[in-house]
């Protein structure tokens, strides 16, 4: 009774245990990735920059985002350690990669709100589908790119 549990590899129970272990390992990886993406305010999603210098989140002032409505976003920019980045230069482009076209407007940062927050004006999406908003950031001697993906 006190000995180790031995399961034959060829048995159904062995296969079940193996599948269960794989599933639990996969869930642990997915859970840690989700935690890394949502660190910060509850419900906030963060997009890391390509080289890891910055992280960006956004809050649309139009909720939910509606097709063919001009609206604004508040961008929050932090460094890799999560500290707010003030004084950033932010350029915006993007589009629908699957349709090979850019954004229908030219969104731009119109105001620095402080605390690493910036008001982005002129955001509009003209059709349903997969969009990318690409932010080119320059601050504190670093430049990097953040790509925010949306499925509208």
């Amino acid at each position: 009774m006190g000995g180790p549990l031995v399961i034959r590899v060829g048995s159904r129970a062995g296969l079940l245990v193996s599948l269960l272990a794989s599933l639990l390992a996969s869930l642990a990886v997915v859970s840690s990735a989700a935690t890394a993406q949502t660190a910060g305010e509850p419900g906030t999603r963060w997009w890391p920059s390509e080289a890891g210098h910055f992280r960006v989140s956004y809050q649309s002032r139009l909720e939910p985002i509606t097709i063919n409505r001009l609206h604004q976003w508040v961008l929050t920019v932090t460094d890799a350690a999560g500290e707010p980045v003030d004084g950033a230069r932010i350029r915006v482009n993007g589009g629908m990669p699957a349709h090979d076209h850019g954004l229908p407007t030219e969104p731009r940062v119109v105001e620095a709100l402080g605390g690493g927050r910036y008001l982005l004006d002129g955001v509009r999406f003209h059709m349903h589908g997969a969009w990318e908003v690409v932010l080119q950031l320059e601050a504190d001697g670093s430049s990097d790119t953040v790509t925010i993906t949306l499925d509208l």
Side-chain angles (χ1 to χ4, degrees):
M1 248 208 287
L5 175 64
V6 177
I7 300 174
R8 292 182 303 140
V9 176
S11 72
R12 287 184 190 198
L15 178 61
L16 183 59
V17 168
S18 177
L19 289 172
L20 185 57
S22 294
L23 176 64
L24 290 174
S26 297
L27 288 175
V29 169
V30 169
S31 176
S32 67
T35 300
Q37 286 295 313
T38 58
E41 294 296 318
T44 300
R45 172 144 186 225
W46 292 91
W47 282 266
S49 62
E50 290 176 5
H53 297 296
F54 306 106
R55 295 179 328 138
V56 174
S57 69
Y58 77 91
Q59 178 64 49
S60 173
R61 289 199 167 164
L62 176 64
E63 217 28 75
I65 296 174
T66 306
I67 301 302
N68 282 321
R69 295 266 322 264
L70 203 58
H71 62 283
Q72 298 175 323
W73 286 6
V74 174
L75 301 173
T76 301
V77 180
T78 70
D79 62 17
E83 294 299 318
V85 174
D86 286 318
R89 180 175 171 205
I90 304 171
R91 290 183 311 248
V92 183
N93 61 38
M96 292 186 88
H99 291 251
D100 198 30
H101 66 73
L103 296 169
T105 58
E106 295 181 14
R108 62 187 177 88
V109 171
V110 294
E111 185 178 351
L113 303 172
R117 297 177 322 119
Y118 301 85
L119 183 60
L120 179 65
D121 193 31
V123 181
R124 182 171 70 87
F125 304 101
H126 68 282
M127 62 190 297
H128 292 283
W131 288 88
E132 291 182 345
V133 175
V134 180
L135 306 173
Q136 297 166 325
L137 300 154
E138 294 179 21
D140 301 326
S142 296
S143 37
D144 211 342
T145 303
V146 173
T147 302
I148 297 173
T149 56
L150 301 132
D151 191 12
L152 304 175

